[in-house]
């Protein structure tokens, strides 16, 4: 296997607005745009040619990634005119593939951070003789996901909608968003209309007697569908919990990019990233957070599990916990922002104007 399809934009990237000016797919995770990690992992697994199936914010990808040569890849871009769903997006790029009908093609979603052993998924596909192979992961609470039960050999037996009752939870296995398709299966997807692989393609293949193989790999998996998950994923990349050859530095508690300034007594922990030209003041504490380029954290501030946009300023002794601060926003001193609060780009919050705790 030497080529892949990366589904980005539209339903392939479900990141909610991050209240930053930077286009969502290009918000840095561990110092580089998130897609860089996915592309680098694909290259490390032997992929040479990747077609990016894009829709939403499609115009931002090619100027940044170009022809892919900097990553050792050959990249092409195909943009949907109208939303086509996951299956329609896959079919829409078929003409750019070089594979023969029986060759395997890796397909992965642009909003999933995973430690999947890509080579093992391809090997499973080849040795099982499957038409499609799926990466499955186990989750503690599968109620928010469609379920994918398999038999004793790993062969998929059904695709079940999100369970509504305890009796409907027949497995903890879910579709983890990475697949290997035989090229002939891609060519058989209908053209010119929206198609969902989960609701149409996969159930249709099962009904026709096709072989769909599941491979359970639960090493690391995170759906980056919320800003909080995105920040968590960035921290996990920095700490090495989520593997990526694209992290620009050693794995550890912190990643401070060139040009950033951190006071000697400031404490950075939990996979915190401090972007270029950002500043962290004396006595500040920053844990598990992403601080984008040019942001300023003033002395004594405490920041945990938060995203601070480019050029934003966090006032002295302010507390952020699970907050998203937009580019250019100014948070005055002595504020306390918690529990998923979002401050829009360029907003100004006066000193001590929001608190969750008593003043006593």
């Amino acid at each position: 296997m030497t080529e892949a399809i990366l589904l980005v934009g539209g339903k392939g990237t479900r990141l909610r607005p991050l209240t930053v000016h930077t286009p969502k797919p290009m918000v840095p995770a561990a110092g580089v745009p998130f897609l860089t990690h996915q592309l680098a992992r694909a290259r490390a697994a032997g992929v040479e040619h990747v077609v990016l199936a894009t829709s939403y914010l499609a115009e931002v990808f090619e100027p940044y990634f170009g022809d892919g040569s900097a990553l050792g890849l050959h990249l092409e871009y195909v943009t949907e005119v109208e939303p086509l769903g996951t299956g329609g997006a896959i079919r829409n790029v078929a003409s750019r593939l070089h594979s023969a009908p029986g060759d395997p093609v890796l397909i992965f979603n642009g909003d999933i951070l995973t430690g999947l052993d890509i080579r093992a998924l391809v090997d499973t596909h080849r040795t099982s003789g499957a038409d499609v192979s799926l990466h499955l992961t186990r989750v503690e609470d599968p109620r928010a996901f469609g379920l994918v039960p398999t038999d004793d050999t790993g062969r998929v037996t059904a695709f079940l909608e999100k369970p509504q009752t305890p009796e409907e939870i027949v497995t903890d296995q879910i579709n983890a968003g990475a697949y290997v398709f035989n090229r002939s299966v891609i060519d058989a997807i209908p053209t010119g209309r929206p198609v969902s692989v989960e609701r149409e393609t996969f159930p249709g293949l099962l009904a026709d007697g096709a072989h769909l193989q599941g491979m359970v790999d639960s090493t690391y998996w995170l759906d980056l569908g919320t800003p909080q998950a995105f920040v968590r994923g960035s921290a996990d990349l920095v700490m090495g919990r989520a593997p990526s050859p694209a992290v620009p530095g050693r794995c550890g508690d912190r990643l401070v990019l060139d040009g950033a300034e951190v006071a000697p007594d400031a404490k950075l922990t939990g996979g915190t990233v401090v972007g270029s030209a950002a500043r962290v003041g004396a006595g500040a504490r920053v844990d598990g957070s992403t601080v984008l380029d040019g942001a300023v954290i003033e002395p004594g501030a405490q920041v945990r599990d938060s995203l601070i946009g480019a050029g934003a300023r966090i006032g002295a002794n302010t507390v952020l916990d699970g907050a998203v601060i937009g580019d250019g926003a100014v948070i005055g001193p002595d504020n306390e922002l918690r529990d998923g609060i979002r401050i829009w780009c360029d907003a100004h919050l006066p000193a001590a104007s929001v608190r969750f705790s008593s003043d006593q």
Side-chain angles (χ1 to χ4, degrees), residues 16-19 225-228 322-326 338-344:
R16 281 61 164 180
L18 289 172
T19 64
T226 66
Q228 286 73 24
V324 179
I325 310 300
R338 296 181 181 273
D339 301 329
I341 192 170
R342 302 187 189 189
I343 304 300
W344 209 252

Side-chain angles (χ1 to χ4, degrees), residues 40-358:
R41 293 195 73 246
R43 182 66 191 96
V47 172
E48 298 175 357
H49 176 220
V50 178
V51 184
L52 274 71
T54 69
S55 56
Y56 177 65
L57 291 174
E59 69 279 2
V60 308
F61 300 110
E62 190 166 4
Y64 184 87
F65 292 109
D67 64 1
S69 57
L71 293 169
L73 292 165
H74 172 216
L75 297 184
E76 295 188 65
Y77 306 83
V78 177
T79 301
E80 299 173 11
V81 177
E82 298 290 339
L84 294 173
T86 48
I90 292 167
R91 183 64 180 87
N92 192 48
V93 306
S95 63
R96 301 295 186 92
L97 298 175
H98 307 154
S99 306
D103 289 344
V105 179
L106 174 68
I107 301 171
F108 51 111
N109 288 344
D111 56 357
I112 300 295
L113 179 59
T114 176
L116 169 68
D117 185 336
I118 296 173
R119 292 183 186 273
L121 180 63
V122 176
D123 289 344
T124 294
H125 182 78
R126 286 178 168 147
T127 57
S128 67
D131 299 293
V132 175
S133 295
L134 300 86
H135 170 209
L136 307 179
T137 192
R138 293 189 172 98
V139 295
E140 289 186 9
D141 185 358
R143 289 175 296 177
F145 305 94
L147 308 183
V148 187
T150 55
D151 66 16
D152 292 342
T153 68
R155 187 161 180 161
V156 174
T157 58
F159 290 89
L160 306 177
E161 294 295 327
K162 296 177 182 177
Q164 302 299 311
T165 66
E167 292 74 23
E168 292 177 320
I169 303 177
V170 298
T171 181
D172 59 357
Q173 297 175 176
I174 67 167
N175 177 358
Y179 323 100
V180 178
F181 279 47
N182 283 346
R183 170 63 191 275
S184 57
V185 174
I186 295 174
D187 291 337
I189 297 173
T191 61
R193 66 172 178 85
V195 179
S196 166
V197 291
E198 299 87 354
R199 293 188 296 273
E200 181 176 347
T201 303
F202 293 156
L205 287 168
L206 277 184
D208 292 339
H211 181 174
L212 278 70
Q213 186 74 18
M215 188 193 84
V216 177
D217 182 320
S218 299
T219 51
Y220 181 95
W221 186 85
L222 183 65
D223 183 338
L224 302 180
T226 66
Q228 286 73 24
F230 192 90
V231 172
R232 180 73 265 151
S234 177
D236 286 344
L237 284 161
V238 172
M239 292 187 291
R241 294 173 179 169
S244 170
V247 176
R250 284 186 172 184
C251 292
D253 258 0
R254 55 191 271 175
L255 174 63
V256 179
L257 300 182
D258 290 345
E261 298 179 14
V262 178
D265 64 344
K267 188 174 181 180
L268 308 180
T269 58
T272 287
V273 181
V274 180
S276 177
R279 291 189 287 119
V280 180
R285 299 290 184 266
V286 188
D287 178 59
S289 297
T290 296
V291 181
L292 297 185
D293 294 354
V296 175
I297 299 176
E298 295 184 352
Q302 299 180 47
V303 180
R304 180 176 179 270
D305 296 343
S306 296
L307 171 65
I308 301 175
R313 179 177 287 270
I314 309 303
N317 303 312
T318 281
V319 174
L320 304 181
D321 192 341
V324 179
I325 310 300
D327 289 352
V330 176
I331 310 302
D334 300 311
N335 279 288
E336 183 182 358
L337 308 179
R338 296 181 181 273
D339 301 329
I341 192 170
R342 302 187 189 189
I343 304 300
W344 209 252
C345 295
D346 302 316
H348 284 231
L349 201 62
S353 58
V354 176
R355 295 192 64 80
F356 282 68
S357 302
S358 169

Side-chain angles (χ1 to χ4, degrees), residues 5-48:
I5 299 170
L6 174 56
L7 302 172
V8 291
K11 292 185 178 181
T13 300
R14 301 191 308 282
L15 283 176
R16 281 61 164 180
L18 289 172
T19 64
V20 292
H21 292 313
T22 306
K24 292 184 293 185
M26 304 301 283
V27 174
V32 297
F34 173 67
L35 296 183
T36 308
H37 299 290
Q38 293 187 309
L39 292 169
R41 293 195 73 246
R43 182 66 191 96
V47 172
E48 298 175 357

